[in-house]
Amino acid sequence: MPPARALHVILCWHMHQPDYRDGHGEYRYPWTYLHACKDYTDMVAHLEENPEARAVFNFVPVLVEQLQDYVAQFAEGRFRDPLLRVLASEDLENLAADVRHYLLEQCFRLDPEHMLNPFPGFRRLYELWQFIRQDASEMVDYLSVQYVADLVVWYHLAWTGETVRRQTPLIQELMTKGSGYSWEDRQNLLRCIGDLLAGLLPRYRALVASGRIEISTTPYEHPIAPLLLDFAAARDGEPDAQLPSCPAYPGGEARVHWQVDAALDRHRQDFGMPPQGLWPAEGGISAPFVEILAGKGLQWTATGEGILARSLSRSEAGDAPARERHDYLYRPYRLRGEGPWIFFRDDALSDAIGFDYKSWFGHDAVTDFVQRLEAIWRATENQAFPVVSIILDGENAWEYYPYNGYYFLSELYRALANHPHLQLCTFRDFVRDHPEACAVLPQLAAGSWVYGNFSTWIGDPAKNRAWDLLCSAKKAVDEHLPALAPEQQSRVRKQLALCEGSDWFWWFGDYNPAESVRDFDRLYRAHLRELYRLLALAAPAELDQPISQGGAPAEAGGTMRRSHHQGD
């Protein structure tokens, strides 16, 4: 029975991977299926094991599309991912030299502290590689077939979730064996991975059907919609931001409608019902974008708390008394009293899970988290239905936790589900059950959950150059699309949507690791070249030149960012 006065707690896990396929459907990078084996399986398992727990999972459509494509690859026995091709290959002796180089580059891309060092067999492979890499171009060809077999098996074992390891005898046997993996071992592991992927989305659907989770969506290819609508939105949170040479993204409003409509259609196909809510890519929001969401009938959306603070400061008179954070943050709002409910995440609590608790003992982290929620419950005693929104990546944090966050997450769900004053719920259920809890927001600032602005995606010279390349391509689309057949037009629009995704702009800049910047730079330019190919046009020569070099180490490998600059 729910407590008489509860603090409603909404955990929203954002699941996203950009499209890693090239124009031929080949996967350039394996992150989608690796995260599925490790993180998406673990995240659903924790809910399955805690019947009283509730949560929201936000699935970006292009992620679901790729997961389904991997399931089809296993069903067909034909792999378009080079890493899976090696795992499935009976003949490792005759691997081409470039494939061997690829394996050695790919199979040590993980957090060594938690995904390599705990496993002596994997660590030995790494130490051998460190020894020979001084002259890798020559020595890689002398690595034995057994080394290659052990390497590809261990990499996949390292990318299995903790719940998978505990529940799957095969994974336990292979990890115990440690080395000398046979063709039969690799075949068994391949089947295990295929079974994990095939069962993944049905497990989430089952939890939806039982009312234990809500699944929301994001515009199809994860674009920063407010920037597609208006580059000047970047100056809302950063007045001196340098903008691209192109004054605006051509036809941006129509493209936002396309991205949202495609997401809604895909969600209905994938989950059998329309989504009630939409998490905008990176929490990127603006008043014009919220008005578009209202026209689509969506019930809720969300963003970071910095946006709320700026919005309220503009809405209130200059002589209005300063308010404490707990006086305004823990309630939803509607822009001018209309449209979807807007929830604002607690940035501190969300970042604590995303970045801080990884170095804590699981029990201590959960105790601290619950105590902070209890303090919010006490501070909001004058509110009938306070709600705290905790929103963060559902995949990238756990690589840096011991045991993939197993002890932290399992205890967290137990502690929250059984607390006398805390009530886990979903956005959908809160909107339905507490219609009187929503406040009016006269104005809405534009920005994202990262620093409260759009500086992660625009304003840097490399980011702006990427936008200008996209604008040029969009102009070519507008000019040549009408002459194409309907089926080809559909392919062009889909490819354009892919190029509009946020991830390309995220990675450009010298504050990101060079290896990741290189990967995303190459793939972004390849996607733009494919767009020109679909238009039967020659790609501009400038697409042959790298956009950004990167070079700096970044927290969490650059895959996540805090809501504020450290030290702020």
Side-chain angles (χ1 to χ4, degrees):
M1 188 171 183
R5 189 185 74 82
L7 174 66
H8 295 77
V9 179
I10 300 176
L11 294 170
C12 179
W13 307 109
H14 174 53
M15 311 297 213
H16 167 55
Q17 295 295 323
D19 198 332
Y20 294 114
R21 294 168 290 188
D22 64 18
H24 304 288
E26 291 280 316
Y27 283 82
R28 295 286 190 95
Y29 307 106
W31 305 121
T32 295
Y33 89 85
L34 292 178
H35 278 292
C37 293
K38 185 172 77 72
D39 303 305
Y40 306 143
T41 52
D42 268 4
M43 295 301 280
V44 72
H46 284 294
L47 266 295
E48 292 169 336
E49 293 169 3
N50 291 274
E52 300 304 314
R54 302 290 181 270
V56 180
F57 290 91
N58 187 79
F59 274 94
V60 178
V62 71
L63 167 61
V64 178
E65 182 180 297
Q66 290 178 90
L67 291 173
Q68 293 173 337
D69 184 53
Y70 273 108
V71 172
Q73 290 178 61
F74 277 90
E76 298 165 2
R78 298 175 58 191
F79 297 104
R80 293 182 295 279
D81 188 298
L83 190 57
L84 284 174
R85 274 202 297 268
V86 173
L87 184 63
S89 174
E90 185 173 4
D91 180 14
L92 297 183
E93 186 170 357
N94 294 309
L95 288 180
D98 62 332
V99 176
R100 286 172 166 258
H101 282 276
Y102 162 76
L103 287 176
L104 287 166
E105 180 181 334
Q106 178 63 49
C107 288
F108 295 117
R109 294 185 71 172
L110 38 64
D111 176 58
E113 181 179 354
H114 298 109
M115 296 177 69
L116 186 147
N117 291 336
F119 310 119
F122 197 11
R123 191 169 62 246
R124 280 195 296 272
L125 298 176
Y126 178 72
E127 290 167 352
L128 283 170
W129 168 234
Q130 290 298 101
F131 177 74
I132 70 166
R133 70 183 303 181
Q134 299 172 38
D135 193 8
S137 61
E138 296 290 336
M139 297 300 294
V140 67
D141 297 327
Y142 290 91
L143 290 173
S144 71
V145 170
Q146 191 61 63
Y147 182 97
V148 173
D150 288 359
L151 178 62
V152 73
V153 168
W154 261 116
Y155 190 59
H156 284 93
L157 292 177
W159 277 94
T160 53
E162 185 64 20
T163 61
V164 177
R165 294 172 188 169
R166 290 168 181 254
Q167 299 168 5
T168 311
L170 172 68
I171 299 300
Q172 297 167 7
E173 293 168 8
L174 292 176
M175 297 187 89
T176 300
K177 185 173 183 178
S179 62
Y181 295 114
S182 66
W183 160 242
E184 182 181 3
D185 291 331
R186 288 187 282 116
Q187 283 293 98
N188 290 335
L189 179 57
L190 190 71
R191 280 193 293 271
C192 179
I193 293 171
D195 291 343
L196 284 175
L197 294 175
L200 186 60
L201 289 175
R203 294 168 70 183
Y204 281 95
R205 292 190 194 105
L207 290 178
V208 172
S210 66
R212 291 165 58 185
I213 68 171
E214 175 184 3
I215 295 183
S216 56
T217 192
T218 293
Y220 199 93
E221 292 275 2
H222 206 263
I224 304 297
L227 294 180
L228 294 185
L229 292 171
D230 185 2
F231 286 158
R235 288 181 171 159
D236 192 291
E238 198 175 27
D240 297 328
Q242 296 297 307
L243 300 182
S245 299
C246 189
Y249 185 62
E253 182 176 352
R255 293 304 302 159
V256 170
H257 279 280
W258 188 99
Q259 292 268 10
V260 175
D261 289 340
L264 300 181
D265 290 343
R266 182 81 201 200
H267 191 96
R268 281 188 287 266
Q269 294 174 33
D270 294 332
F271 300 107
M273 64 183 71
Q276 297 299 300
L278 178 145
W279 167 252
E282 309 295 356
I285 205 166
S286 65
F289 183 47
V290 169
E291 290 168 2
I292 289 176
L293 299 183
K296 308 295 182 184
L298 288 155
Q299 299 298 303
W300 64 264
T301 188
T303 185
E305 72 171 85
I307 305 302
L308 177 59
R310 284 190 12 243
S311 300
L312 291 174
S313 68
R314 295 176 184 180
S315 303
E316 296 174 347
D319 57 354
R323 291 196 284 168
E324 296 291 337
R325 184 167 170 262
H326 61 258
D327 287 332
Y328 62 83
L329 179 57
Y330 302 112
R331 66 187 63 180
Y333 294 79
R334 297 176 83 189
L335 179 58
R336 296 183 289 275
E338 300 176 344
W341 292 32
I342 308 173
F343 291 83
F344 295 88
R345 79 171 195 155
D346 186 308
D347 286 345
L349 286 176
S350 302
D351 282 352
I353 295 177
F355 297 95
D356 301 330
Y357 290 149
K358 64 187 178 185
S359 59
W360 293 40
F361 286 111
H363 176 74
D364 293 344
V366 171
T367 299
D368 179 76
F369 193 78
V370 170
Q371 288 176 346
R372 293 165 75 169
L373 287 173
E374 289 171 339
I376 295 170
W377 176 76
R378 290 189 293 270
T380 56
E381 62 181 355
N382 63 333
Q383 298 180 35
F385 305 107
V387 57
V388 56
S389 302
I390 298 143
I391 310 172
L392 67 151
D393 281 8
E395 68 264 283
N396 290 317
W398 316 121
E399 183 174 347
Y400 303 94
Y401 274 70
Y403 303 99
N404 210 43
Y406 177 86
Y407 291 103
F408 170 74
L409 284 168
S410 57
E411 185 168 346
L412 177 68
Y413 281 118
R414 286 196 303 271
L416 296 180
N418 296 296
H419 195 284
H421 304 303
L422 306 176
Q423 183 176 347
L424 285 172
C425 69
T426 66
F427 292 122
R428 175 196 59 207
D429 291 345
F430 190 86
V431 172
R432 180 196 63 205
D433 296 339
H434 305 293
E436 69 277 36
C438 198
V440 174
L441 189 64
Q443 299 182 49
L444 179 64
S448 76
W449 69 351
V450 185
Y451 316 148
N453 58 39
F454 294 117
S455 62
T456 300
W457 301 275
I458 198 168
D460 173 274
K463 298 178 192 296
N464 288 349
R465 183 184 169 212
W467 277 109
D468 284 328
L469 290 172
L470 178 59
C471 288
S472 295
K474 178 58 164 60
K475 292 174 183 176
V477 169
D478 292 343
E479 181 179 353
H480 295 277
L481 188 68
L484 300 179
E487 181 179 345
Q488 190 71 355
Q489 288 185 9
S490 179
R491 295 180 63 189
V492 167
R493 292 189 181 98
K494 179 68 166 59
Q495 183 67 22
L496 176 62
L498 193 161
C499 297
E500 292 166 344
S502 70
D503 294 83
W504 322 119
F505 307 97
W506 169 289
W507 286 101
F508 298 136
D510 58 7
Y511 51 80
N512 274 319
E515 190 174 47
S516 294
V517 172
R518 178 205 63 197
D519 290 349
F520 281 86
D521 188 334
R522 287 176 178 173
L523 192 51
Y524 177 63
R525 289 182 288 114
H527 285 320
L528 286 174
R529 281 194 291 267
E530 175 65 11
L531 182 59
Y532 282 103
R533 188 191 71 79
L534 292 173
L535 293 169
L537 299 174
E542 57 188 331
L543 290 179
D544 296 329
Q545 302 300 317
I547 297 169
S548 181
Q549 301 294 330
E555 189 173 17
T559 58
M560 300 187 298
R561 294 210 171 91
R562 294 176 182 266
S563 56
H564 59 280
H565 294 280
Q566 287 185 273
D568 287 2

